[in-house]
Amino acid sequence: AQSVSQHNHHVILSEAASLELGCNYSYGGTVNLFWYVQYPGQHLQLLLKYFSGDPLVKGIKGFEAEFIKSKFSFNLRKPSVQWSDTAEYFCAARTGAGSYQLTFGKGTKLSVIP
Amino acid sequence: DGGITQSPKYLFRKEGQNVTLSCEQNLNHDAMYWYRQDPGQGLRLIYYSQIVNDFQKGDIAEGYSVSREKKESFPLTVTSAQKNPTAFYLCASGGQVSRETQYFGPGTRLLVL
């Protein structure tokens, strides 16, 4: 069965620090990849997604992610975090062969200290 | 995500009671999903439906039931067979095309009295 691993449970950063959250998936075939964010008290929102093409994907609020097929990874990055980025971040994967199911990682909680 | 509503926001269940969580969408999406979110566990798929009158079990369907009588609605019933129902329940919808993104509702928090 497909699985998604997020290596960091809780990350604490100071404002202006750079962010990289790790995500690895286990499926060997075509895969669609997503990063979602859940701000405190808010809906789960889509940050960015990768289906095909340029492996460097840009999303909202200055986030980007790089798909590295050889490493089965889809890490999320932001060069300079703000206090408002405090949230929980979820990586998700869907196999590309007509599947509807998303498999989520366990999430990474990001706390940004002003 | 603004097109998906879930009610109630909080729900309390007594022992042995079935409760139903509502999910409605006005995004004209064919597919709808129910997830359960527990702290440190991420989201786990309970049931999903690709079209009206059809649904499939997800990874943790035991103790839950669903129906899909209308395209807009996908209610989830937490039955008394679900021994650990306390969780945050999220409903999502998306199109049938494989490239469609899933959009999430605000969630319902279920607590056991």
Side-chain angles (χ1 to χ4, degrees), chain A residues 50-70:
Chain A
Y50 172 80
F51 290 125
S52 63
D54 189 344
L56 186 62
V57 179
K58 295 195 183 297
I60 61 171
K61 304 187 181 187
F63 286 91
E64 65 178 30
E66 185 174 14
F67 171 58
I68 304 180
K69 190 174 182 179
S70 61

Side-chain angles (χ1 to χ4, degrees), chain A:
Chain A
Q2 178 175 248
S3 66
V4 175
S5 300
Q6 291 183 243
H7 311 297
N8 307 103
H9 177 62
H10 191 185
V11 173
I12 302 172
L13 294 173
S14 298
E15 276 193 317
S18 64
L19 170 72
E20 182 160 3
L21 301 182
C23 173
N24 287 91
Y25 61 94
S26 64
Y27 186 69
T30 302
V31 63
N32 305 148
L33 297 160
F34 306 81
W35 275 99
Y36 283 87
V37 60
Q38 192 172 37
Y39 297 104
Q42 294 191 27
H43 296 199
L44 205 64
Q45 302 173 34
L46 181 70
L47 265 183
L48 47 78
K49 58 188 176 184
Y50 172 80
F51 290 125
S52 63
D54 189 344
L56 186 62
V57 179
K58 295 195 183 297
I60 61 171
K61 304 187 181 187
F63 286 91
E64 65 178 30
E66 185 174 14
F67 171 58
I68 304 180
K69 190 174 182 179
S70 61
K71 295 184 178 180
F72 296 88
S73 71
F74 190 56
N75 292 354
L76 181 71
R77 301 194 293 244
K78 187 171 184 179
S80 175
V81 295
Q82 302 172 318
W83 176 80
S84 58
D85 294 324
T86 295
E88 190 157 18
Y89 293 80
F90 295 93
C91 182
R94 181 175 62 204
T95 59
S99 170
Y100 295 86
Q101 294 191 56
L102 278 180
T103 300
F104 281 84
K106 293 186 176 183
T108 297
K109 194 168 293 188
L110 172 66
S111 298
V112 180
I113 303 169

Side-chain angles (χ1 to χ4, degrees), chain B residues 17 20 22 28 31 50 55 58 60 62 67 71 75 77-78 95 104 106-109 111:
Chain B
Q17 186 181 39
T20 298
S22 169
N28 199 32
Q50 299 173 15
F55 47 83
I60 55 165
E62 187 174 348
S67 62
K71 187 176 183 178
T77 297
V78 184
F104 286 81
T108 292
R109 189 165 297 280
L111 300 164

Side-chain angles (χ1 to χ4, degrees), chain B residues 19-95:
Chain B
V19 292
T20 298
L21 285 61
S22 169
C23 177
E24 303 276 333
Q25 56 101 357
N26 62 3
L27 300 170
N28 199 32
H29 285 158
D30 289 301
M32 296 186 74
Y33 309 81
W34 275 106
Y35 293 90
R36 171 179 170 142
Q37 185 179 10
D38 296 281
Q41 294 295 316
L43 279 72
R44 292 178 290 169
L45 183 66
I46 304 172
Y47 268 98
Y48 67 102
S49 168
Q50 299 173 15
I51 55 173
V52 173
N53 293 322
D54 184 59
F55 47 83
Q56 284 80 41
K57 292 181 179 180
D59 299 321
I60 55 165
E62 187 174 348
Y64 300 97
S65 65
V66 293
S67 62
R68 187 84 187 276
E69 297 176 2
K70 298 187 299 181
K71 187 176 183 178
E72 303 79 18
S73 177
F74 191 40
L76 173 74
T77 297
V78 184
T79 74
S80 57
Q82 172 49 247
K83 297 306 177 190
N84 185 24
T86 297
F88 191 51
Y89 291 87
L90 288 167
C91 178
S93 71

